[in-house]
Amino acid sequence: MSARFTTRNVAALCGVSHGMCHYHFEDRTDLVLAVIEDIRPEWISPLEDAVEAPGAFAERAERVVRLLTQGESTDLSHLHSALHWHALNDERVRVNLEAEYRRWRGCFVRLFTVLADERGDGIDPRPLGEAVAAAVDGLAAIQSLNAEVDAESVYRTLILTLAAGA
């Protein structure tokens, strides 16, 4: 994939001159960084909206579960894999992708912050949210292999069990 992902090839696919593409993107890394920013509305923004919309923890958790069980498209799954590959080979990509993942994981921490505020018993939402984020990421990888997993049941069980045990 990396050999085909050049400013010249992207320009050709978009029907613009290489010079025009190069004017906006100095190199392949700039293109990859633009892709990372461009996928936020498909990847992170819906999760942020689900968590930030009004409601109690249970309502927000249910919105998150519904969103997560929609799954990601094959194209988005391939794109995430490619971005991880680029992150392993380019420090600027790694820094930017890590920031996006931090933002994504923060949604789960905020979800459990709502629970902590409701209960008022001093639970730490960070490890709970991070645990869910790790599980969601792992299940997405498993599902990308076309494994038959009841994601809705897994997500609901994980979130509610962590909430009950916290």
Side-chain angles (χ1 to χ4, degrees):
M1 172 193 150
S2 182
R4 296 185 329 238
F5 192 71
T6 65
T7 55
R8 186 171 308 280
N9 288 342
V10 168
L13 286 169
C14 294
V16 299
S17 71
H18 180 245
M20 177 62 80
C21 187
H22 220 291
Y23 176 79
H24 292 284
F25 305 101
E26 184 177 322
D27 56 17
R28 177 177 33 203
T29 297
D30 285 345
L31 283 169
V32 173
L33 297 178
V35 168
I36 291 170
E37 185 174 330
D38 189 62
I39 66 171
R40 186 179 302 136
E42 295 176 58
W43 178 40
I44 297 173
S45 298
L47 185 58
E48 289 174 330
D49 294 344
V51 171
E52 297 302 329
F57 171 81
E59 295 169 88
R60 295 174 196 224
E62 187 57 35
R63 284 194 300 262
V64 167
V65 168
R66 280 195 314 267
L67 179 65
L68 294 174
T69 55
Q70 291 175 5
E72 69 182 15
S73 69
T74 301
D75 288 341
L76 193 55
S77 182
H78 289 163
L79 182 57
H80 278 133
S81 294
L83 290 173
H84 281 272
W85 183 89
H86 281 286
L88 292 172
N89 294 286
D90 187 308
E91 182 64 14
R92 285 174 51 209
V93 173
R94 188 198 64 73
V95 167
N96 279 270
L97 189 58
E98 195 282 325
E100 290 298 298
Y101 266 100
R102 187 177 332 110
R103 182 174 174 167
W104 178 78
R105 291 188 327 266
C107 295
F108 297 103
V109 173
R110 283 194 304 283
L111 176 64
F112 281 94
T113 299
V114 170
L115 178 67
D117 292 345
E118 284 178 9
R119 291 179 35 181
D121 59 1
I123 63 168
D124 185 355
R126 180 155 305 280
L128 299 170
E130 292 285 352
V132 172
V136 168
D137 206 34
L139 189 53
I142 291 167
Q143 289 178 306
S144 73
L145 301 172
N146 292 324
E148 291 189 28
V149 177
D150 181 0
E152 182 176 353
S153 177
V154 170
Y155 293 139
R156 188 171 281 110
T157 300
L158 177 64
I159 290 172
L160 297 179
T161 300
L162 286 173

